[in-house]
Amino acid sequence: MASAFAYAPAPESRAIVDIAPSYGLFIDGEFTEAADGKVFKTVSPSTEEVLSEIAQAGAEDVDRAVRAARKAFEKWSALPGSERAKYLFRIARIIQERSRELAVLETLDNGKPIKETRDADLPLVAAHFFYYAGWADKLDHAGFGANPRPLGVAGQVIPWNFPLLMLAWKIAPALATGNTVVLKPAETTPLSALFFADICRQADLPRGVVNILPGYGDTGAALVAHPDVNKVAFTGSTAVGKEIAKTVAGSRKKLTLELGGKGANIVFDDAPIDQAVEGIVNGIFFNQGQVCCAGSRLLVQESIQDELLDSLKRRLSTLRLGDPLDKNTDIGAINSEEQLSRITTLVEAGEAEGAERWSPACEIPSSGYWFAPTLFTNVTQAHRIARDEIFGPVLSVLTFRTPDEAVAKANNTPYGLSAGIWTEKGSRILAVANKLRAGVVWSNTFNKFDPTSPFGGYKESGFGREGGRHGLEAYLDV
């Protein structure tokens, strides 16, 4: 008998977004062609459709943008904090007004489900600008001494997994503290940054305060190495972060790095199973697992392993993979063919090393880049899938018997970005959290963000904090 609640597609209309056939670089308040005329195409991961042609910035363009930012810095930094706050408030309100448009755009260019861009990304983007607008005239009271000064020009390089949110994390505190910005978005997701450039013009932000330079790794390298950049902020892979650290070593540039992770999600035997399962799913399958702080290692107490895995498999069987613009979709497309290849390689390594792979039955679309939600059992700490950041919808399950063993296994990683604890005992939460070497520890939840809370890691997950009062310090001479 057919169910009375049969699935029906509920696609969001893409008509609200008007994507131009081509976009230039945004330098000194104007869109302009690259000096050498180079362009590249941005592709929708779910369909492989070419969305637009984008100007590709080179070293000469980086120099133009930095000079524009340096010129704008004189007047922008001299404005009273209350005046800078007005621009940030204006940007935040425009983002709210255009949130549906931006959510659809982000889904098209990134591949993540519309319900994530609409309900998670865009509200947080606006919230960060509102939050740092409130700090702009209170810097003397931020705890960094009297009269803290801006650094100058900030060179910022952001990843493709949360394009607009990472932009907000970087640009909002930089502008609030009186710095000017040259930002390089990821080459696979440049569109939301270019739409943000239009928002800057809509908000009448002074020319040169924000500059946007799409391009590849060489563009980011030229920006990081530019002698007139005072602050470098990077979110991305650990390998690239190490190269950036080498580049700025010996210079006077201030540096913050937010890099990879291999977060442990620890479930104790007294945890509420159904709640924990939802947290596990959110921890690793949100944004297809393409999250630096994903809970990609599930550490479950041995006595409840079977019960938890049965419940988890039932829940995974209800996840819907498909069109990211469908409001019912839970698992969208992988961002690029290159990333899909990396996920596939690491999963094949897990099978070859003896781990047991399981995925729910799901239909993979014929075009685009897709990977079914996957979990591995019989995993040891020696497996690559337990050590390497996969950055995909792949969960490795390990077991433990005692809290000390859970802590030891959780900390047995070169990374230190995030962790989760599931238990009914508040004393256990505090005791375990204090022993975990992770920048963010969630208790009985996962992947919860707020602009008032600092975020960052230890070890090979980078250094420095973004968000909250702590996020101001990276952009101030204190």
Side-chain angles (χ1 to χ4, degrees):
M1 180 178 174
S3 169
F5 300 100
Y7 165 75
E12 174 66 271
S13 171
R14 59 180 289 176
I16 192 172
V17 179
D18 183 16
I19 301 176
S22 63
Y23 289 92
L25 315 173
F26 186 68
I27 299 175
D28 201 23
E30 299 291 339
F31 286 99
T32 178
E33 293 181 1
D36 59 8
K38 285 186 178 180
V39 296
F40 65 97
K41 292 177 171 60
T42 185
V43 173
S44 180
S46 61
T47 62
E48 301 178 60
E49 161 200 2
V50 174
L51 296 173
S52 188
E53 189 174 77
I54 313 296
Q56 180 178 332
E60 187 176 334
D61 304 304
V62 170
D63 189 58
R64 273 197 298 156
V66 172
R67 280 190 278 112
R70 176 60 61 192
K71 181 181 177 182
F73 174 70
E74 296 177 17
K75 291 184 178 179
W76 180 251
S77 60
L79 284 178
S82 58
E83 290 300 311
R84 291 197 301 272
K86 290 178 183 178
Y87 287 104
L88 288 166
F89 276 124
R90 197 177 299 161
I91 288 170
R93 288 195 296 269
I94 294 171
I95 287 168
Q96 286 184 320
E97 291 165 3
R98 299 179 61 175
S99 62
R100 185 181 172 204
E101 171 195 8
L102 293 168
V104 172
L105 176 75
E106 199 83 312
T107 289
L108 287 171
D109 205 23
N110 172 277
K112 66 173 68 180
I114 184 67
K115 67 181 181 183
E116 292 182 8
T117 57
R118 178 196 64 195
D119 299 340
D121 292 28
L122 263 300
L124 278 171
V125 170
H128 273 81
F129 279 98
F130 276 125
Y131 176 73
Y132 281 109
W135 267 117
D137 62 348
K138 304 174 186 68
L139 299 178
D140 285 344
H141 310 287
F144 304 123
N147 195 32
R149 307 302 301 161
L151 297 170
V153 176
Q156 303 175 328
V157 182
I158 60 173
W160 45 259
N161 57 337
F162 291 92
L164 200 54
L165 182 56
M166 293 299 99
L167 176 151
W169 279 26
K170 301 283 189 291
I171 290 182
L175 299 192
T177 49
N179 300 275
T180 53
V181 166
V182 180
L183 179 132
K184 190 202 90 70
E187 62 270 19
T188 59
T189 53
L191 288 180
S192 55
L194 294 167
F195 272 55
F196 180 79
D198 183 59
I199 288 172
C200 290
R201 295 203 299 188
Q202 190 178 346
D204 293 324
L205 191 71
R207 296 166 65 104
V209 172
V210 169
N211 305 271
I212 310 288
L213 298 182
Y216 287 80
D218 56 340
T219 307
L223 177 58
V224 168
H226 196 285
D228 204 24
V229 166
N230 305 102
K231 163 73 170 72
V232 173
F234 173 75
T235 296
S237 73
T238 296
V240 175
K242 289 179 178 179
E243 290 302 314
I244 290 174
K246 291 177 185 176
T247 300
V248 305
S251 72
R252 300 187 65 184
K253 294 175 184 175
K254 205 165 185 177
L255 175 65
T256 50
L257 298 174
E258 195 263 279
L259 309 176
K262 195 68 179 174
N265 213 352
I266 306 168
V267 183
F268 287 95
D269 57 6
D270 63 338
I273 296 293
D274 290 342
Q275 183 181 339
V277 164
E278 290 304 309
I280 294 163
V281 169
N282 184 48
I284 182 59
F285 300 115
F286 177 69
N287 196 20
Q288 297 71 254
Q290 298 170 137
V291 185
C292 52
C293 56
S296 53
R297 290 182 298 146
L298 174 60
L299 302 183
V300 55
Q301 198 150 16
E302 215 171 72
S303 59
I304 61 165
Q305 179 189 13
D306 292 343
E307 180 185 1
L308 182 73
L309 287 179
D310 287 345
S311 182
L312 180 58
K313 288 179 178 179
R314 284 196 304 272
R315 181 67 178 91
L316 293 187
S317 298
T318 69
L319 296 180
R320 187 168 294 279
L321 180 148
D323 178 10
L325 281 174
D326 189 334
K327 301 182 189 75
N328 298 296
T329 294
D330 301 297
I331 306 290
I334 302 302
N335 181 254
S336 67
E337 188 174 13
E338 178 185 5
Q339 183 59 24
L340 178 59
S341 175
R342 171 176 170 76
I343 295 168
T344 303
T345 298
L346 285 167
V347 165
E348 289 173 351
E351 287 187 285
E353 291 173 359
E356 185 177 333
R357 177 181 178 180
W358 182 89
S359 292
C362 62
E363 186 176 338
I364 302 295
S366 57
S367 61
Y369 315 124
W370 306 90
F371 201 90
T374 299
L375 67 84
F376 276 101
T377 52
N378 296 328
V379 179
T380 72
Q381 295 180 87
H383 281 115
R384 283 186 67 192
I385 54 172
R387 301 193 324 266
D388 293 359
E389 183 181 38
I390 299 175
F391 223 62
V394 181
L395 177 65
S396 297
V397 182
L398 301 94
T399 62
F400 67 91
R401 292 182 179 178
T402 67
D404 285 344
E405 184 185 357
V407 170
K409 286 185 173 180
N411 287 338
N412 184 24
T413 172
Y415 299 107
L417 193 56
S418 68
I421 302 168
W422 297 85
T423 174
E424 287 191 339
K425 295 182 175 68
S427 58
R428 179 179 282 167
I429 290 170
L430 295 173
V432 172
N434 284 332
K435 296 174 184 176
L436 293 174
R437 191 64 174 159
V440 178
V441 180
W442 286 290
S443 60
N444 293 329
T445 188
F446 211 93
N447 274 340
K448 296 294 183 184
F449 297 95
D450 188 280
T452 66
S453 299
F455 182 88
Y458 298 107
K459 300 187 285 188
E460 292 197 8
S461 290
F463 51 82
R465 293 294 180 264
E466 295 182 299
R469 179 185 64 84
H470 305 70
L472 297 165
E473 184 176 8
Y475 293 95
L476 290 170
D477 181 358
V478 297

